[in-house]
């Protein structure tokens, strides 16, 4: 069994993949935004280790996490946490761009840096949950798409840099997934929500587990998952 560090395990895709790995008896380190959310994770996933840190404050992550203690060896780091605020370029001020870049890009970059010694020790895999918006930027999602484009660049550089250390890097690009984020987005855009045409969180979790289970002679470097056909 492996040791896995997951962000975003409190909801949606992250909760589903944490549940799948917990059922297999794997060891979980779960990052929550604060101690209250960490308590919820400990009761939902008995036996897991939790760390509390706000990904919206990436510059504070090193001090926050080092005082709580980091794992010495990791089979995987799954970056699942994310935020999405819709808005046009005309509407977005600097703070709006910064808010999404902080959680979706800067925090994963900093967390990866902090956990690289543990990933090299295994060696383990880094999995970035990106988005279709990380490949094509639609109108009204420029801030979100920019953060996900940046996340893809981070993954590409990391893959090339860490190859010789045995650390494997995967980016997963899901289409629409039935989660609270997707419900909020449809509400904000004033669009009808149709969960039946979305991917389920269980399908995305199955794909993520497949990435982790892939034989060590190769890497699923980029994986696009579309609802339906
Ligand atoms: N849903 C989709 O259609 C879709 C499609 C493609 C890609 N994605 C990506 O998939 C990932 C998961 O999305 P989801 O749909 O499962 O969203 P979700 O249900 O809204 O869950 C997001 C998770 O991120 C955590 N999070 C957000 N801000 C945080 C912060 N400042 N500090 C710590 N944790 C924070 C949340 O913590 P709390 O539990 O404390 O709220 C929550 O657990 C995201 O990266 C998203 O961009 C989603």
């Amino acid at each position: 069994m492996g040791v896995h560090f997951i962000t975003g395990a409190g909801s949606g895709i992250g909760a589903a993949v944490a549940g799948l790995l917990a059922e297999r008896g794997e060891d979980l380190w779960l990052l929550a935004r604060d101690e209250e959310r960490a308590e919820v994770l400990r009761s939902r996933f008995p036996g897991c280790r939790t760390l509390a840190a706000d990904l919206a404050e990436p510059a504070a992550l090193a001090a926050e996490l080092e005082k709580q203690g980091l794992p010495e060896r990791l089979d995987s780091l799954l970056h699942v946490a994310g935020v999405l605020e819709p808005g046009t370029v005309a509407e977005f001020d600097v703070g709006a761009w910064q808010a999404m870049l902080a959680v979706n890009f800067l925090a994963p970059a900093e967390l990866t840096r902090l956990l690289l010694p543990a990933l090299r020790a295994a060696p383990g895999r880094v999995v970035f949950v990106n988005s279709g918006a990380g490949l094509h930027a639609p109108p009204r999602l420029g801030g979100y798409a920019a953060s996900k484009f940046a996340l893809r660049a981070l993954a590409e550089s990391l893959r090339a840099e860490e190859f010789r250390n045995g650390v494997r890097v995967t980016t997963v690009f899901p289409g629409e997934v039935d989660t609270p984020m997707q419900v909020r987005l449809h509400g904000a855009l004033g669009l009808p929500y149709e969960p039946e045409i979305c991917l389920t969180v269980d399908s995305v979790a199955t794909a993520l587990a497949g990435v982790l289970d892939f034989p060590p002679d190769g890497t699923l470097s980029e994986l696009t998952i579309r609802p339906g056909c």
Side-chain angles (χ1 to χ4, degrees):
M1 289 298 105
V3 186
H4 308 277
F5 192 110
I6 309 173
T7 68
S11 177
I13 295 168
V17 73
L20 190 158
L21 295 177
E23 263 178 33
R24 291 178 7 172
E26 314 250 6
D27 289 334
L28 301 184
W29 287 66
L30 306 178
L31 183 137
R33 67 173 73 227
D34 56 30
E35 186 44 42
E36 196 180 324
R37 295 290 290 150
E39 177 75 49
V40 172
L41 292 178
R42 287 194 294 274
S43 57
R44 189 166 183 182
F45 303 106
C48 76
R49 299 275 301 265
T50 58
L51 295 171
D54 186 353
L55 298 175
E57 303 289 343
L61 280 177
E64 272 301 318
L65 295 180
E66 276 161 6
K67 77 181 177 210
Q68 296 175 54
L70 290 169
E72 288 179 3
R73 184 189 166 285
L74 273 181
D75 293 287
S76 81
L77 164 59
L78 292 115
H79 293 287
V80 189
V83 289
L84 192 171
E85 284 300 326
T88 63
V89 175
E91 291 161 351
F92 264 30
D93 61 14
V94 171
W97 292 95
Q98 280 175 335
M100 265 173 294
L101 284 166
V103 175
N104 295 351
F105 166 60
L106 292 171
E110 177 67 343
L111 199 52
T112 302
R113 181 182 76 83
L114 296 170
L115 292 171
L116 261 182
L119 288 158
R120 287 173 179 163
R125 297 183 185 273
V126 184
V127 182
F128 294 94
V129 175
N130 200 296
S131 165
L135 295 168
H136 307 284
R140 301 172 77 185
L141 291 185
Y144 179 68
S147 68
K148 293 295 193 178
F149 271 58
L151 191 67
R152 185 186 183 194
L154 164 65
E156 279 193 22
S157 292
L158 182 72
R159 183 179 303 117
E161 289 162 7
E162 291 301 318
F163 177 75
R164 295 278 167 220
N165 294 323
V167 176
R168 303 288 195 248
V169 179
T170 300
T171 292
V172 178
F173 301 96
E176 291 186 352
V177 189
D178 178 22
T179 71
M181 175 186 282
Q182 198 57 244
V183 173
R184 288 191 299 272
L185 175 63
H186 278 72
L189 296 178
L191 297 171
Y193 185 58
E194 298 176 272
E196 63 280 4
I197 61 167
C198 292
L199 289 157
T200 65
V201 290
D202 291 337
S203 296
V204 180
T206 300
L208 293 172
V211 168
L212 302 185
D213 293 342
F214 200 78
D217 63 312
T219 307
L220 293 170
S221 53
E222 294 198 336
L223 183 64
T224 301
I225 315 171
R226 296 175 190 276
C229 54

